[in-house]
Amino acid sequence: IGSAGTHLLSIIEDVLDLSRFEAGYLTLDEQEVDLSETIASAVERVRCTAAERGITIDADLGTAAYRIRGDAFRLKQIVNNLLSNAVKFSLPNGTVSVELTPAPSGALDLRVIDQGIGMHQENVPIALEPFMQIEGGLNRRFEGCGIGLPLTRSLVQLHQGSLTIDSAPRKGTSVRVRFPVERILATHGMEETGGRLPESAMSSRR
């Protein structure tokens, strides 16, 4: 009962956030955010769920940690939603990859890639519409109300970023979030971890 109540409250909060965004009332509490740390926390959050299905989470941040200007809570929502979706739609014993890399323009790209059920590319716009579900036998096995991706895109847009999705049936999905160069504040070396997250946050397998 407690778990169901928490889940319902989360759905209600997401619906309210999406409504606030569409009405122009959702604003950002901006500060300096360590995006690498945000990703590590999100990986740890989904680690147990992934391990139950034998799914490996591999997070590679390259050779630098990035700090950006944004809303810490909303950035956490973005990463959590993308990772949760990737794990949810992954096939057993698959891998979910998280990458954080600079774009040629100086922008910062966050990619979450799974090897799951995927979808036809022409259905991507449907998946980005609130309350819409992709029809199909595989997708019907997974619960959801069609709020996660639309809300994530809205939160990315609040940060003047963009969200793009590449997908194919039974070949997986790659979601790219691009944060504009104007929001990149600093880059710090990660020599102590060789450019990767700590081992406890990098991967999980039964």
Side-chain angles (χ1 to χ4, degrees), residues 119-178:
M119 58 183 149
H120 292 287
Q121 193 63 31
E122 58 265 30
N123 286 332
V124 168
I126 298 175
L128 288 169
E129 288 295 318
F131 307 110
M132 297 298 290
Q133 297 281 326
I134 305 298
E135 296 296 327
L138 279 174
N139 298 58
R140 287 183 178 274
R141 289 188 295 153
F142 300 90
E143 297 180 359
C145 60
I147 288 293
L149 271 179
L151 176 59
T152 299
R153 181 176 64 172
S154 298
L155 296 177
V156 170
Q157 290 173 346
L158 274 179
H159 287 84
Q160 292 82 46
S162 62
L163 183 149
T164 56
I165 299 175
D166 291 315
S167 188
R170 296 178 176 82
K171 293 185 178 180
T173 299
S174 173
V175 182
R176 187 200 71 189
V177 172
R178 173 163 289 179

Side-chain angles (χ1 to χ4, degrees), residues 12 30 41 45 56 58 66 79 83 102 113 123 129 168 171 182:
I12 293 172
E30 298 196 8
S41 296
R45 180 178 178 273
T56 298
D58 183 28
Y66 291 90
V79 181
L83 268 175
I113 306 163
N123 286 332
E129 288 295 318
K171 293 185 178 180
E182 294 80 11

Side-chain angles (χ1 to χ4, degrees), residues 49-80:
T49 302
E52 288 174 358
R53 300 176 55 200
I55 296 170
T56 298
I57 301 180
D58 183 28
D60 190 346
L61 306 184
T63 59
Y66 291 90
R67 303 185 73 86
I68 69 174
R69 177 172 54 85
D71 187 313
F73 177 73
R74 300 306 180 182
L75 289 170
K76 185 181 296 184
Q77 271 186 290
I78 290 170
V79 181
N80 282 342

